Amino acid sequence: MIQEQNTEILFHLMRVAIGTEEAEKMLYSTNGASWRAVYNLARQQGVLAIVFDGLMQLFEADKEFAKAFPQALKFKWINAVFNIEQRYEQQLRLSAELAGKWAEQDIQTFCLKGLAISSYYPEPTHRECGDLDCFLPDNYERGNIIAEECGAKVERDFYKHSHISYKGLMVENHQFCTPIRGAKQYKQRERYLQILLAISNPQYIGNTKLIRPSCDFNALFLTTHSFGHFLTEGIRLRHILDWALFVKAEQGNIDWENFYAWCDKLGYTRFVNALNAIAVDYLGLDFCDKVVVDRALSERILHDVLYGGVSIFNQNMPKWRVRLAIVKSYMNSIWKYHKVYRRSVFVELMRVVGGFLFERTPKL
């Protein structure tokens, strides 16, 4: 197991925050430099606020530790968490506002990941959110037009989703929930996901018109999303925490036999079973027997999460540089394709290139 002290502290605080470990007397040094490293690691991994929740519980359990903790860093951390909460509240407010305008035109707004997953966190506002990812069944372009009529700027420069800028909120309005270029099985996956949305009973997020998809949809969608990032630019602990808390809450409601049938078909099985192992070994969670835990690749995947990965899609790079970075990432991720995906990286790269060249506007 990864035992580097900063990561050990990080996981300890995460376990305390999600309730799988008791807050007890702190055994680690209060050295300022070490805690700044923990702070930076938590920030990089997208779990800064949830780690602070664990730290606050330790302060309550160990008053001497709380007094000795570097005060400047404590105030910096508090301010950062406050900003995360403010961004979450603003995103929820603006997302609900836009979904309400769509609802006035009888358009349903399914919320993909983000706000829909935050409810599984002990404190939803501490799940760091960025854009609003949404799916409007059979109303993709109507949604774009209505947003424009409300003063939003809409960019339709990508086949999978448009980019809507609404009062400072960036919205990815999905025409397709997942990528569908280059393979029949991807189109089959997309049809299945859309069927799951069609047959689900709407469950609204709070007092909004934002709809939380069914647990069967979220199981496959979250896996597809995180696995895609894992192959191209890497994932962070936030992705693993999303999955872990979701499974913890919904494991009795998910059709695991059907889920694993899709994972086997799509090549996700080794990846998702490794995430389960990380959730058990590092986050202290207990899963039912239907949730498979496989440690064969979990340590290597976790090492890549903590120390690997590159940012590609959030760097505002020119398109040619993005494509070049993707190709470079393929070459640097051969082990992921061979060990985890069980696919040839070169075949997959040719599939992506072929999809781009011959399926510019793909259809289901």
Side-chain angles (χ1 to χ4, degrees):
M1 295 180 71
I2 294 174
Q3 295 292 339
E4 198 270 333
Q5 189 181 69
N6 293 334
T7 59
E8 187 179 345
I9 294 172
L10 184 77
F11 282 115
H12 172 63
L13 295 176
M14 290 177 69
R15 291 192 296 271
V16 170
I18 65 177
T20 59
E21 190 168 313
E22 292 294 325
E24 299 176 351
K25 185 177 178 62
M26 191 45 151
L27 302 178
Y28 303 105
S29 167
T30 55
N31 178 273
S34 297
W35 280 99
R36 280 194 293 274
V38 174
Y39 172 92
N40 289 331
L41 181 60
R43 178 178 55 81
Q44 293 163 5
Q45 294 294 325
V47 293
L48 189 64
I50 196 77
V51 170
F52 189 68
D53 290 338
L55 189 61
M56 288 296 96
Q57 292 187 47
L58 285 178
F59 285 167
E60 289 295 320
D62 189 344
K63 302 298 185 183
E64 293 302 315
F65 167 71
K67 291 180 182 178
F69 191 86
Q71 292 301 299
L73 180 60
K74 179 181 179 181
F75 291 129
K76 180 180 180 180
W77 214 324
I78 290 173
N79 184 63
V81 172
F82 175 76
N83 289 334
I84 290 170
E85 293 171 344
Q86 291 296 103
R87 287 197 300 270
Y88 180 97
E89 295 290 354
Q90 182 181 34
Q91 184 191 33
L92 179 59
R93 177 178 61 82
L94 292 173
S95 299
E97 185 178 303
L98 184 57
K101 294 182 183 299
W102 283 329
E104 291 173 1
Q105 303 297 323
D106 297 321
I107 297 176
Q108 290 183 311
T109 304
F110 284 92
C111 186
L112 309 178
K113 57 189 180 66
L115 294 172
I117 300 301
S118 66
S119 61
Y120 296 110
Y121 279 62
E123 172 50 62
T125 63
H126 287 185
R127 196 277 183 185
E128 295 187 35
C129 294
D131 303 339
L132 168 66
D133 287 73
C134 63
F135 182 76
L136 317 177
D138 300 320
N139 284 289
Y140 165 73
E141 186 54 27
R142 280 189 68 206
N144 288 332
I145 293 171
I146 291 170
E148 287 176 322
E149 291 173 348
C150 295
K153 179 182 178 181
V154 179
E155 295 181 358
R156 300 168 176 84
D157 56 351
F158 186 44
Y159 84 92
K160 187 165 71 73
H161 54 70
S162 64
H163 287 98
I164 300 175
S165 179
Y166 179 75
K167 297 183 179 180
L169 172 70
M170 183 55 68
V171 180
E172 290 188 358
N173 175 26
H174 284 245
Q175 182 170 204
F176 306 107
C177 299
T178 56
I180 66 169
R181 277 177 176 167
K184 291 182 179 179
Q185 63 183 7
Y186 293 171
K187 296 177 175 63
Q188 293 170 351
R189 175 188 63 198
E190 179 68 21
R191 293 189 194 99
Y192 173 67
L193 287 171
Q194 292 194 25
I195 288 172
L196 288 177
L197 293 179
I199 65 176
S200 64
N201 294 320
Q203 295 183 353
Y204 294 104
I205 299 174
N207 295 319
T208 75
K209 293 299 182 180
L210 295 162
I211 302 173
R212 181 185 297 107
S214 69
C215 58
D216 284 326
F217 174 93
N218 277 331
L220 185 56
F221 177 80
L222 286 176
T223 303
T224 299
H225 176 76
S226 59
F227 189 60
H229 276 282
F230 172 72
L231 292 178
T232 53
E233 58 180 352
I235 60 173
R236 292 292 176 254
L237 284 179
R238 188 187 68 180
H239 294 87
I240 297 177
L241 188 60
D242 281 355
W243 174 253
L245 295 179
F246 164 71
V247 174
K248 176 188 176 185
E250 300 288 6
Q251 59 187 309
N253 302 318
I254 297 170
D255 184 343
W256 289 106
E257 182 177 355
N258 195 44
F259 170 76
Y260 273 115
W262 276 100
C263 285
D264 290 342
K265 180 177 183 177
L266 297 166
Y268 300 162
T269 303
R270 287 190 167 197
F271 174 73
V272 74
N273 291 345
L275 294 195
N276 294 337
I278 295 169
V280 170
D281 295 339
Y282 287 88
L283 298 178
L285 294 174
D286 293 319
F287 293 148
C288 67
D289 292 340
K290 294 181 180 179
V291 181
V292 181
V293 174
D294 186 350
R295 296 177 174 85
L297 294 168
S298 61
E299 292 294 307
R300 187 164 187 183
I301 288 175
L302 181 58
H303 188 276
D304 185 75
V305 170
L306 293 171
Y307 308 113
V310 294
S311 181
I312 296 176
F313 298 106
N314 294 320
Q315 296 299 310
N316 294 319
M317 295 187 293
K319 288 184 178 180
W320 70 268
R321 288 191 61 189
V322 170
R323 290 163 186 156
L324 184 62
I326 292 173
V327 172
K328 184 178 180 180
S329 177
Y330 271 88
M331 296 301 100
N332 291 335
S333 301
I334 291 177
W335 74 268
K336 297 180 182 180
Y337 286 85
H338 177 64
K339 297 287 187 181
V340 185
Y341 199 16
R342 305 305 296 272
R343 305 282 200 275
S344 165
V345 66
F346 301 104
V347 171
E348 288 301 302
L349 182 56
M350 290 303 99
R351 180 192 59 76
V352 171
V353 172
F356 176 77
L357 293 176
F358 303 112
E359 285 191 280
R360 301 303 295 270
T361 54
K363 305 291 183 182
L364 281 182

